């Protein structure tokens, strides 16, 4: 026999479930420079920074060397991966083992 599909999922329930697992990024603060965050996998995000408007290079894409933003809605004991896509600098202390500051 043919199976009868169940009722469609409640859109509000699905949206609430997605929102409960999605990180919320904020950079509308003094010095905040996150332009965009794109979720690429369940716990992985590509982050795009805005260049410093006071630099000469800002008009040509900028020399983005720093970042400042907040993240909420994280789950305890879950590892997240943030790929900063346009942290532009020929060399970096991250190549020597420096780690980001989190608080």
């Amino acid at each position: 026999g043919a199976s009868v599909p169940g009722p469609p999922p409640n859109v509000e329930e699905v949206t609430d479930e997605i929102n409960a697992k999605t990180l919320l990024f904020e950079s509308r603060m003094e010095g905040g420079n996150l332009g965009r965050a794109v979720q690429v996998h369940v716990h992985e995000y590509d982050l795009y920074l805005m260049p410093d408007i006071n630099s000469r290079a800002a008009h040509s894409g900028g020399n983005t060397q720093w970042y400042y933003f907040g993240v909420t809605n994280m789950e305890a004991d879950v590892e997240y991966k943030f790929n900063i896509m346009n942290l532009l600098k020929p060399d970096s202390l991250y190549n020597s083992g420096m780690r980001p500051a989190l608080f």
Side-chain angles (χ1 to χ4, degrees), residues 77-96:
D77 301 319
V78 172
E79 185 174 307
Y80 294 92
K81 182 176 182 181
F82 298 148
N83 306 306
I84 300 179
M85 305 304 291
N86 61 335
L87 191 62
L88 305 173
K89 189 176 175 187
D91 197 13
S92 170
L93 291 175
Y94 291 111
N95 296 336
S96 300

Side-chain angles (χ1 to χ4, degrees), residues 66-83:
W66 57 277
Y67 48 88
Y68 182 52
F69 58 89
V71 182
T72 57
N73 214 28
M74 297 177 85
E75 295 179 49
D77 301 319
V78 172
E79 185 174 307
Y80 294 92
K81 182 176 182 181
F82 298 148
N83 306 306

Side-chain angles (χ1 to χ4, degrees), residues 46-79:
D46 286 350
L47 307 179
Y48 296 86
L49 306 174
M50 296 183 297
D52 187 349
I53 61 171
N54 294 322
S55 71
R56 182 181 306 165
H59 303 290
S60 62
N63 288 324
T64 308
Q65 300 178 39
W66 57 277
Y67 48 88
Y68 182 52
F69 58 89
V71 182
T72 57
N73 214 28
M74 297 177 85
E75 295 179 49
D77 301 319
V78 172
E79 185 174 307

